[in-house]
């Protein structure tokens, strides 16, 4: 089975909504973001449970300054949150390949692939930042 490339344009509004959640500072802004989530998410995923889960998550992030979690879960949660964009970018390649075998396996493999991609990107970026650059004395044009 070869996965098709998903159309991401319809999901761009979710990124805007996430940004609005992060940027909302006062009551009116939080109410507006909450209303947008409640009005726009249901029906998007064509799965009522998933729609409800996404709306609940958006509302929690909008209204709670922090969510206590057991200490043992904090590091894995920080890792997944840090890698979330990369997980989103690669999950559609991994999940469909394993979903017929086992949904939990497909989920774990998708998360692991995204975390691995995140780590690779961070490693490459770090190496590029440390790469020495050619320094040109001020006022002089480098020769070609």
């Amino acid at each position: 089975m070869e996965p098709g490339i998903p159309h991401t344009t319809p999901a761009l509004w979710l990124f805007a909504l996430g940004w609005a959640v992060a940027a909302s500072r006062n009551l009116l802004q939080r109410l507006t973001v909450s209303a947008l989530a409640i009005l726009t998410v249901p029906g998007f995923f064509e799965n009522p449970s998933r729609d409800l889960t996404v709306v609940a998550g958006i509302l929690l992030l909008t209204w709670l300054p922090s969510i206590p979690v057991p200490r043992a879960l904090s590091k894995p949660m920080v890792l997944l949150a840090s890698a979330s964009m990369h997980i989103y970018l690669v999950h559609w390649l991994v999940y469909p390949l394993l979903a017929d075998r086992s949904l939990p396996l497909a989920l774990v493999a998708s998360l692991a692939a995204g975390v691995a991609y995140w780590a690779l990107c961070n490693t490459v970026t770090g190496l590029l930042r440390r790469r020495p650059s050619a320094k040109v004395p001020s006022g002089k044009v480098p020769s070609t």
Side-chain angles (χ1 to χ4, degrees), residues 8 32 34 51-52 64 73 75 78 89 95 101 106 112 131:
T8 55
T32 302
S34 298
D51 292 339
L52 182 60
L64 297 179
L73 293 180
K75 285 188 179 183
V78 167
L89 291 173
Y95 193 88
R101 284 197 177 126
R131 200 168 127 220

Side-chain angles (χ1 to χ4, degrees), residues 36-62:
L36 285 171
I38 291 167
L39 292 172
T40 61
V41 173
F44 180 76
F45 295 105
E46 298 176 355
N47 178 328
S49 296
R50 189 172 182 188
D51 292 339
L52 182 60
T53 301
V54 171
V55 169
I58 290 169
L59 294 176
L60 284 172
L61 291 170
T62 301

Side-chain angles (χ1 to χ4, degrees), residues 83-109:
S84 63
M85 176 59 79
H86 295 79
I87 293 167
Y88 174 78
L89 291 173
V90 301
H91 81 279
W92 64 274
L93 293 168
V94 177
Y95 193 88
L97 298 175
L98 300 171
D100 289 341
R101 284 197 177 126
S102 165
L103 292 179
L105 174 64
L107 174 64
V108 170

Side-chain angles (χ1 to χ4, degrees), residues 10-33:
L12 288 178
W13 66 272
L14 281 173
F15 291 100
L17 187 58
W19 171 84
V21 168
S24 63
R25 299 284 182 252
N26 59 44
L27 180 64
L28 180 59
Q29 291 170 344
R30 286 187 175 97
L31 287 170
T32 302
V33 169

